[in-house]
Amino acid sequence: MSLGLLALIFFEGFLILIILAIFPSMFKHAPFIPTTHKRVHRMLELTGLKKGELVVDLGAGDGRVLHCAVRHFGAKAIGVEYSPLLAWFGNLWLKSKGLDKEAKIVRGDIFNYDCSKADVVTLFLLQTTNQKIKEKLQNELKPGARIVSRIFTFNDWQPIAKDEQYHLTAYKKL
């Protein structure tokens, strides 16, 4: 076997492992679609996030919401991510930025994570997933907690703020 063929087999094997690690997150509750840093910042602004508050990002992906919450708002942040590869990468990135004391990503299912301590919940899920998680958020969140969703909304909830440019809607638990 030639060295080139061995390298190709290794590369393809590595690529298959990456796809297998990411695949569950693509179809569990929503695909991983990175949100721009400007939009992430605006999401947190829309909620009125304050220093010291706790942000929970459901479907944290690579951790960019956590990074912004800590770096620009002085908040604490926890992300919940189903994909082990994205959770690992996000935690590595947060550590490399020196933010791992204030932010972390836990690997798990967003429907099993206890959101009761959250001051702000961020999410970019699908419309059907938003409707499924709505009851969980209503039951767990404390009064005054804010939720911000990108693109997809929560039927029957009255928004407290909207940003049409970035397709964001914020809500508040009464």
Side-chain angles (χ1 to χ4, degrees):
M1 243 187 224
S2 72
L3 189 57
L5 183 58
L6 285 175
L8 181 63
I9 291 170
F10 175 78
F11 176 74
E12 286 179 356
F14 182 71
L15 190 60
I16 288 169
L17 288 175
I18 288 174
I19 290 169
L20 288 174
I22 293 174
F23 185 80
S25 71
M26 300 253 180
F27 298 102
K28 183 70 174 175
H29 301 300
F32 171 60
I33 301 172
T35 302
T36 66
H37 293 285
K38 283 183 179 181
R39 183 173 279 140
V40 167
H41 195 273
R42 183 66 182 128
M43 286 176 82
L44 297 172
E45 276 182 339
L46 211 57
T47 67
L49 181 61
K50 296 173 185 64
K51 183 177 183 173
E53 288 189 312
L54 177 64
V55 173
V56 173
D57 185 20
L58 299 177
D62 61 8
R64 62 186 63 206
V65 170
L66 311 181
H67 177 273
C68 185
V70 172
R71 178 80 62 189
H72 298 284
F73 293 87
K76 303 282 185 193
I78 296 174
V80 183
E81 176 55 52
Y82 187 75
S83 166
L85 183 63
L86 287 171
W88 174 81
F89 176 78
N91 280 318
L92 182 67
W93 184 56
L94 291 168
K95 185 173 182 70
S96 75
K97 297 293 183 182
L99 303 176
D100 55 316
K101 299 243 187 305
E102 297 87 13
K104 70 177 177 178
I105 298 174
V106 295
R107 190 192 160 319
D109 188 308
I110 60 175
F111 286 93
N112 296 329
Y113 186 79
D114 178 9
C115 295
S116 62
K117 291 185 170 79
D119 297 295
V120 170
V121 173
T122 62
L123 38 85
F124 178 23
L125 304 171
L126 301 173
Q127 188 65 39
T128 55
T129 310
N130 273 14
Q131 296 318 305
K132 289 177 186 174
I133 205 161
K134 185 167 102 171
E135 184 177 344
K136 172 187 173 50
L137 295 175
Q138 285 176 318
N139 291 336
E140 288 183 5
L141 292 178
K142 58 190 170 188
R146 287 94 64 210
I147 303 114
V148 63
S149 179
R150 178 177 171 207
I151 299 175
F152 303 106
T153 59
F154 289 95
N155 298 339
D156 305 325
W157 281 8
Q158 185 65 39
I160 59 167
K162 284 186 167 200
D163 185 314
E164 299 296 333
Q165 177 186 356
Y166 287 119
H167 308 286
L168 305 171
T169 308
Y171 306 90
K172 188 174 192 176
K173 167 89 185 277
L174 300 175

